[in-house]
């Protein structure tokens, strides 16, 4: 009996959001292969259960499905209730779900034939302006997923992560588009980079300011990034939120990670790395030993500069 309770305590439980495909699905596979019981979540039930079936087909019976739309408060609450009732705790949360925030003319984008180096350096910015459009609605969808979605899921699951006997792990999947040097406005850069004065309210204020500037066609004059503007802002704010959260919960390991430039739907398959490579950073951070780094930004598996 004692052995049984010790065994139950040793079991680790993880949630991965947006895990029906891409880096999220591969993150679930790698975590499950390392012995973690993983809740694969997806907003669409059919896509999610198909993904779980594909992993069961590989012999990974320790993967379960639960619906989760990170934009929907009721869906978030239902997930939290399920975990509380079924597991009584959570050890790992990987906030992976993401949206690009642009409407893309995919044929036009392909015709530009932009090479990966040009993409990553930021030199493609002017080239893509005609084929990638940011509308107010697409920006709202992006920020509601990549920033507010992460915050709401995290807030709902934090009490369960605090029940983890190994100290909870939170991995926020970010992007190199969030790196502060890419934001032209010096004041925004310096305020986001100053952890002493950074607060959640301040970060929310930047999001509101961005949306105001977008509505008034003032993004460039206000010094926001021209490349994937809503996506870049959502991930920069996500990085800032990660730091604030890590400071507030020092017993946990809370980090953000750029997965690499990976061949998935979100970048219209312009990426060059495999999902196996792309999931490595998230998995490493999800499995950090106690006392591991927290409040850091990783470029794949290496600590990087915010
Ligand atoms: N690929 C890269 O090169 C790259 C680079 C930097 C960062 N990232 C980040 O990596 C993460 C994973 O992206 P990926 O490359 O694997 O792209 P992906 O294959 O397009 O996967 C995105 C996932 O997010 C889900 N999602 C979107 N909105 C959601 C919502 N409201 N609720 C729940 N799930 C939602 C999608 O579900 P549906 O199938 O239902 O749409 C899908 O499962 C994202 O955060 C992305 O920003 C990727």
């Amino acid at each position: 009996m004692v052995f049984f309770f010790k065994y139950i305590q040793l079991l680790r439980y993880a949630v991965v959001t947006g895990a029906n495909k891409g880096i999220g699905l591969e993150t679930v596979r790698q975590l499950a292969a390392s012995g973690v019981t993983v809740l694969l979540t997806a907003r669409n039930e059919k896509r999610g259960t198909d993904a779980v079936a594909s992993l069961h087909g590989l012999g990974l019976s320790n993967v379960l499905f639960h619906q989760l739309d990170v934009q929907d408060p009721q869906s978030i609450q239902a997930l939290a209730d399920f975990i509380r009732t079924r597991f009584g705790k959570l050890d790992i949360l990987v906030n992976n779900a993401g949206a690009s925030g642009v409407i893309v003319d995919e044929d036009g984008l392909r015709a530009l034939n932009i090479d990966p180096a040009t993409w990553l350096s930021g030199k493609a910015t002017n080239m893509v302006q005609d084929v990638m459009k940011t509308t107010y609605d697409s920006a709202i969808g992006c920020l509601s997923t990549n920033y507010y979605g992460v915050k709401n899921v995290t807030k709902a699951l934090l009490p369960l992560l605090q029940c983890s006997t190994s100290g909870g792990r939170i991995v926020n999947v970010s992007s190199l588009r969030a790196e502060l040097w890419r934001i032209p406005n010096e004041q925004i850069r310096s305020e986001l980079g100053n952890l002493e004065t950074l607060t959640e309210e301040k970060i929310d204020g930047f999001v509101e300011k961005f949306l105001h500037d977008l509505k008034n066609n003032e993004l460039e004059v206000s010094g926001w990034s021209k490349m994937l503007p809503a996506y870049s802002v959502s991930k920069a704010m996500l990085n800032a939120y990660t730091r604030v959260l890590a400071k507030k919960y020092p017993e946990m390991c809370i980090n953000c990670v750029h997965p690499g430039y990976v061949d998935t739907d979100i970048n219209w398959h312009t990426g060059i790395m495999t999902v196996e490579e792309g999931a490595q950073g998230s998995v490493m951070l999800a499995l950090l030993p106690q006392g591991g780094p927290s409040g850091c930004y990783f470029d794949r598996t290496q600590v990087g500069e915010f």
Side-chain angles (χ1 to χ4, degrees), residues 79-256:
L79 174 73
D81 292 345
F82 174 83
I83 298 169
R84 189 176 307 105
T85 311
R86 184 80 179 252
F87 307 137
K89 67 158 186 171
L90 182 66
D91 301 289
I92 297 162
L93 168 61
V94 183
N95 286 307
N96 168 83
S100 70
V102 283
I103 296 162
V104 173
D105 163 6
E106 289 195 41
D107 291 337
L109 180 64
R110 263 188 289 278
L112 289 174
N113 208 11
I114 300 168
D115 64 87
T118 306
W119 264 115
L120 297 176
S121 66
K123 288 184 188 142
T125 305
N126 289 329
M127 299 165 77
V128 299
Q129 293 304 316
D130 287 341
V131 294
M132 281 186 182
K133 299 288 178 201
T134 302
T135 64
Y136 190 74
D137 284 349
S138 69
I140 290 277
C142 177
L143 287 156
S144 305
T145 306
N146 301 0
Y147 176 64
Y148 289 114
V150 171
K151 285 211 320 178
N152 293 337
V153 170
T154 303
K155 276 191 186 129
L157 299 185
L158 258 171
L160 290 157
L161 284 157
Q162 287 176 302
C163 296
S164 167
T165 45
S166 51
R169 306 280 176 273
I170 301 176
V171 183
N172 291 331
V173 182
S174 184
S175 166
L176 54 67
R177 299 278 166 219
E179 290 167 3
L180 290 176
W181 67 269
R182 294 176 190 267
I183 302 176
N185 184 310
E186 196 184 330
Q187 196 197 341
I188 300 173
R189 266 200 323 266
S190 90
E191 289 202 38
L192 284 176
N194 185 350
L195 189 56
E196 294 302 309
T197 55
L198 203 55
T199 61
E200 221 180 301
E201 293 70 31
K202 208 172 204 178
I203 304 168
D204 288 355
F206 280 125
V207 174
E208 292 310 317
K209 170 82 167 82
F210 169 79
L211 287 171
H212 169 274
D213 290 343
L214 175 63
K215 205 174 215 168
N216 292 291
N217 208 11
E218 289 172 351
L219 287 188
E220 204 166 347
V221 69
S222 298
W224 296 104
S225 176
K226 260 179 86 182
M227 177 56 118
L228 296 164
Y231 183 79
S232 303
V233 166
S234 72
K235 298 290 192 182
M237 301 308 156
L238 176 63
N239 284 3
Y241 172 66
T242 305
R243 302 181 83 183
V244 170
L245 205 66
K247 195 172 157 187
K248 194 166 167 191
Y249 298 98
E251 70 285 5
M252 294 189 191
C253 293
I254 303 175
N255 295 291
C256 47

Side-chain angles (χ1 to χ4, degrees), residues 17-25 41-44 47 68-72 95-100 141 144-146 173-177 231 235 257-267 271-272 275:
T17 70
N20 51 291
K21 64 180 181 182
I23 298 166
L25 175 58
T41 69
R43 58 180 162 179
N44 178 283
R47 290 198 285 271
L68 175 67
D69 182 335
V70 303
Q71 290 194 41
D72 176 357
N95 286 307
N96 168 83
S100 70
S144 305
T145 306
N146 301 0
V173 182
S174 184
S175 166
L176 54 67
R177 299 278 166 219
Y231 183 79
K235 298 290 192 182
V257 60
H258 166 60
Y261 190 32
V262 183
D263 179 0
T264 66
D265 287 348
I266 206 167
N267 55 27
I272 48 172
V275 288

